[in-house]
Amino acid sequence: MSVFGLGAAGTAALLVWGLAGLPSFGDFEGAYGQLLAHLTVPERHATSAVAVSTFDFRGLDTLGEEFILFTAAVGVLVLLRGQRADETVAAEPMHPRRPTADSRTLRSIATALAAPVLVLGAYVVSHGHLTPGGGFQGGVILMTAFLLVYLAGSHLHLAAIRPLSAMEGAEGVGAAGFALIGVGGIILAGAFLENFLGFGTTGNLVSGGVVPLLNVSVGIEVMGAILVIVGELLDQRFLVRKGDR
Amino acid sequence: MSFLPYAVAAWLFLVGLYGIVTSRNLIHLVVCLTVVQSSTYVLLLAVGYREGASAPIYADIPTSRPVVDPVVATLTLTDVVVEATVAALLLSLAVQAHRRFGTLDPDELGALRG
């Protein structure tokens, strides 16, 4: 404990020293961010400077980010599924029709919310270039809709609406879609991730060039990846050691 | 002129670090790590803030309005994704550790190794 106290005091001193060198709060004068923000509407005909920075000006960065997520989902699969070699999945849980949640209220609310949440997720993904939101945020909301179905039903329902191979497929399609849109930029516009579509009218749903397409592919990928991760972790409940049977 | 947001970031960092150091449970440790990482969100967003500026969304404001830095928001987005993936991987490692050693206490994990 005293070791930690000493280390923490040193770290705190270094942090204060470093942070004191930053411009004081509210006085940031970064020219790069302002340049991007002011190019967003005239050059890209989209209204969300964050989405345009993420998917257009810094698209390569986001490609890497997306593959981090992809790799992590694969890593979770490898870590948790390797275990299945010496354990068997209880294909039929002990009480196959037992609901996930015991509370009837919780199940009713989850049933009522699943469809609206799905629509909300689709909205957040498709309007990412106009308003706050986008593929990453919307993908997580879409994933929540599937988790609500899980809460409302039994484990078997989730297995039915979440066929693992389909989710892996969605993850792969999303990641590949992003890369392919980038390759489309090479073919049609001369540079990776270069915009090759018309920019449309500012404020319309179809505007901003490839940014909405990239948002959709990221949304699909995030939904698939997180469902794979969450599903694998939930499945751990149903793994039974061969010896324990 | 205020240093409060920076102080919040430093405090979150240190309090998360304290949690990691004193943790007796791997799941608790992963949650503490996410607290440490959330200090970087506060720091990034605080760095990009400009006095009196709006969010960089031009859907309902004129393009002449000053806006906060969109690049730090993008970096924060990357940060959140990385944090989620790190947490997912560490949690599955915790599942594996529990299966192999029957405990989630980091101190006992070392003792059982052999």
Side-chain angles (χ1 to χ4, degrees):
Chain A
M1 200 59 238
S2 57
V3 176
F4 172 70
L6 210 65
T11 313
L14 279 175
L15 271 177
V16 170
W17 185 36
L19 293 177
L22 286 173
S24 69
F25 183 62
D27 287 351
F28 184 66
E29 291 298 338
Y32 179 49
Q34 293 307 310
L35 181 68
L36 293 193
H38 289 118
L39 286 179
T40 296
V41 175
E43 289 213 352
R44 293 295 187 265
H45 294 230
T47 51
S48 169
V50 176
V52 174
S53 309
T54 308
F55 292 103
D56 194 318
F57 298 125
R58 300 177 64 88
L60 200 60
D61 216 24
T62 308
L63 180 69
E65 179 182 346
E66 208 194 19
F67 277 101
I68 291 176
L69 187 62
F70 184 79
T71 315
V74 173
V76 169
L77 281 183
V78 169
L79 271 173
L80 296 181
R81 206 173 275 180
Q83 206 64 28
R84 299 218 172 143
D86 34 280
E87 294 184 11
T88 52
V89 185
E92 292 294 316
M94 308 299 181
H95 312 283
R97 286 293 157 198
R98 221 189 91 189
T100 323
D102 289 330
S103 152
R104 186 179 288 265
T105 318
L106 176 62
R107 276 187 281 138
S108 326
I109 293 176
T111 313
L113 280 180
V117 168
L118 198 67
V119 174
L120 175 70
Y123 169 82
V124 171
V125 169
S126 58
H127 288 70
H129 57 298
L130 300 174
T131 49
F136 288 100
Q137 299 89 329
V140 174
I141 299 176
L142 285 174
M143 188 276 303
T144 316
F146 288 91
L147 278 191
L148 284 171
V149 175
Y150 170 74
L151 272 184
S154 65
H155 186 78
L156 291 183
H157 289 158
L158 184 64
I161 59 150
R162 180 192 61 89
L164 206 52
S165 52
M167 283 307 143
E168 287 162 13
E171 191 195 353
V173 166
F178 199 111
L180 285 179
I181 293 170
V183 172
I186 296 187
I187 296 169
L188 298 170
F192 190 67
L193 279 173
E194 185 79 29
N195 186 75
F196 56 83
L197 294 175
F199 286 117
T201 315
T202 307
N204 278 3
L205 186 57
V206 180
S207 63
V210 293
V211 173
L213 286 180
L214 294 174
N215 259 326
V216 169
S217 80
V218 165
I220 294 172
E221 204 258 336
V222 169
M223 180 189 74
I226 300 190
L227 271 178
V228 165
I229 293 173
V230 171
E232 276 298 316
L233 286 171
L234 285 175
D235 278 350
Q236 295 300 307
R237 274 177 58 202
F238 297 102
L239 286 178
V240 182
R241 249 174 234 279
K242 270 178 184 157
D244 295 351
R245 266 273 166 99
Chain B
M1 160 149 175
S2 155
F3 290 97
L4 185 63
Y6 300 145
V8 169
W11 178 76
L12 275 176
F13 183 88
L14 288 171
V15 87
L17 208 58
Y18 173 78
I20 289 177
V21 169
T22 57
S23 178
R24 311 292 299 167
N25 184 306
L26 287 178
I27 309 274
H28 173 260
L29 196 146
V30 174
V31 174
C32 291
L33 186 68
T34 63
V35 173
V36 171
Q37 284 193 298
S38 58
S39 75
T40 59
Y41 315 152
V42 176
L43 182 63
L44 276 172
L45 294 177
V47 164
Y49 182 72
R50 294 169 83 220
E51 198 69 49
S54 319
I57 309 290
Y58 293 107
D60 47 7
I61 60 169
T63 51
S64 51
R65 276 280 282 280
V67 291
V68 301
D69 199 293
V71 175
V72 288
T74 302
L75 291 179
T76 310
L77 191 60
T78 309
D79 204 355
V80 172
V81 173
V82 170
E83 193 235 284
T85 60
V86 166
L89 279 177
L90 287 179
L91 285 176
S92 31
L93 283 174
V95 169
Q96 290 293 60
H98 184 260
R99 186 170 287 139
R100 192 145 303 171
F101 302 113
T103 176
L104 279 174
D105 188 331
D107 290 341
E108 288 180 36
L109 286 183
L112 284 169
R113 180 87 207 119

